[in-house]
Amino acid sequence: MPDGRPYYITTPIYYVNDKPHIGHAYTTLACDMLARFMRLDGRRVHFLTGTDEHGQKVEKSAAAAGVAPLEFCDRVSEQFRVLAGALKVSNDDFIRTTEPRHIAACQALWQQLLDRGEIYLGSYAGWYSVRDEAFYTEADLVDGKAPTGAPVEWVEEPSYFFRLSAWGDRLLAFYDQNPGFIGPDSRRNEVISFVKSGLRDLSVSRTSFTWGVPVPNDPAHVMYVWLDALTNYITAVGYPDTQAETYKAFWPANLHVVGKDIVRFHAVYWPAFLMAAEIAPPKRVFAHGWWTNEGQKISKSLGNVIAPGDLVERYGLDPVRYFLLREVPFGNDGDFSHRAMIGRMNSELAGGLGNLAQRSLSIIAKNLDSKVPQPGAFNEEDNELLAQAAAMLDKLRAAFDHQLFHEGLEAIFNVVRAANIYIDRQAPWGLKKTDPERMATVLYVLADVVRQLGILLQPVMPASANRLLDQLALPADARGFGDLDKRLVPGTDLPKPEGVFPRFVEPEGEGA
Ligand code: ME8
């Protein structure tokens, strides 16, 4: 039942140097599914996404576009908002790092760090990659480039430093005491060995450009964009007002979902900044894998960037949401291919779930006057299927607690398969003359299993799942997880059944 326990989940805030693509859509959709899941499970959810608008990378992109940085940010940030709308993302807030609330939060955090002696003035001489917005030592470089392959430039400038070197042991103790802090395990191991290899103090201000949050009392410096960006997670719940209701309810965040490229910033720098300011670190950071397109790295220069809008137009939003979260174990790298997309759409959605619902509901419409059937006593096979359906929620909770989305979806689709086997074995279409009472029982069991599937599929395919539930005439206030064990009411009038998961048919003249 709803317990209203707070659940705070965040996406990374995306750089506005470029248009949104499938990678951004992926992270945001994964968070959206979890946010919707938690709401249906009775939690009080705060779901945050937004844009990261400062730093050299954005400043350079604005200059290349020939517009002032803020105007450029307004324009691209809007595209991320539009994308979130098109993907039906249920975020509760959208933060921009150029907002006054955020600048105030960054400056307050800076002051806390300064007051505690965690920041000191020095000068930086070393390599910097604008693309990564990261500092590198000579030893980090591979063939004169960043380990990520990004170009680097030599930078020498006055800079404030954060005493990261003093935080290594405390970070290791923190990871030890909080084994769930980083997921999956491969990333946790990577982070721990990075910290064990020794941390150097981190440059946290820049003086060679101006597009950033001014350092309090020293406006020649702007804050390093990662210190600025990470702070967004506390800005959005009210920091520096630590007495704000939202801050008290939602901080520390339950989960930061990020791509594997930025795990170090979230799992090393961020908890160190927070602990140094005596703020609790987030409860968990989960880093997912990287998408390629038909086997190739996604890049602008290869011209193979997948625009989320194009996919949605071709396949529909819910199949795209389902595919992205089902195809690849969350945490692993994945490859997008049209063949795989169409395969899942036609076999699991149209052939599995759609077929189950359509067969069950059309027999009810034809033979039972379009009303929820009145069941007789359940036999062993009925009870077995119903028990399998009733076990889904706990499996989903366990899987989603560890961000194992594919496992949760597999648990749901195992029930779809079991129900399709059940309908074939029971063959209700042949019972009308021989045993109408049994026919009604079988169809009741099927309709109720479809109801439970529909309720549990709302987080991943909100529109389709709700259309399925509409066909069962299920009231809108009976669609939460707390309603799962309330069976369909026999005798309820049902609307005319219609297919919710169409097969994908190649548009004429086009290859996939
Ligand atoms: O790093 N596959 O922003 P960003 C999967 N502003 N995910 C991908 C992807 C791909 N091919 N490409 C991008 C930043 N992503 C910072 C974050 S947070 C305080 C600041 C996703 O615009 C993935 O989530 O470069 C990755 O971490 C994020 O986009 C990087 O977005």
Side-chain angles (χ1 to χ4, degrees), residues 12-15 21 23-24 26-27 52 57 226 229-230 232-233 258-259 261-262 266 288-291 298:
I13 48 171
Y14 304 111
Y15 286 127
H21 68 66
H24 309 116
Y26 179 55
T27 319
D52 185 357
K57 175 149 87 173
W226 271 102
L230 289 160
N232 92 88
Y233 302 130
V258 299
D261 54 327
I262 56 176
H266 284 81
H288 65 64
W290 217 240
W291 282 90
I298 298 175

Side-chain angles (χ1 to χ4, degrees), residues 229-242:
L230 289 160
T231 303
N232 92 88
Y233 302 130
I234 51 175
T235 304
V237 290
Y239 188 84
D241 179 4
T242 54

Side-chain angles (χ1 to χ4, degrees), residues 306-347:
I306 304 174
D310 293 350
L311 282 187
V312 169
E313 198 178 315
R314 188 176 173 94
Y315 300 111
L317 174 58
D318 282 352
V320 169
R321 291 175 61 112
Y322 174 73
F323 175 80
L324 291 176
L325 296 166
R326 175 69 185 86
E327 177 71 0
V328 175
F330 204 58
N332 292 11
D333 291 339
D335 183 44
F336 182 87
S337 84
H338 288 280
R339 213 166 69 101
M341 170 82 224
I342 294 167
R344 287 207 184 265
M345 206 175 153
N346 287 350
S347 64

Side-chain angles (χ1 to χ4, degrees), residues 110-120 160-167 170 201-202 204 272-273 275-278:
W110 181 282
Q111 199 60 51
Q112 289 295 320
L113 294 171
L114 195 73
D115 291 349
R116 287 175 169 74
E118 300 285 350
I119 282 180
Y120 63 91
Y160 285 93
F161 285 83
F162 171 71
R163 293 186 195 282
L164 186 63
S165 61
W167 283 91
R170 280 175 285 185
D201 288 353
L202 180 71
V204 286
F273 294 152
M275 289 195 279
E278 291 178 34

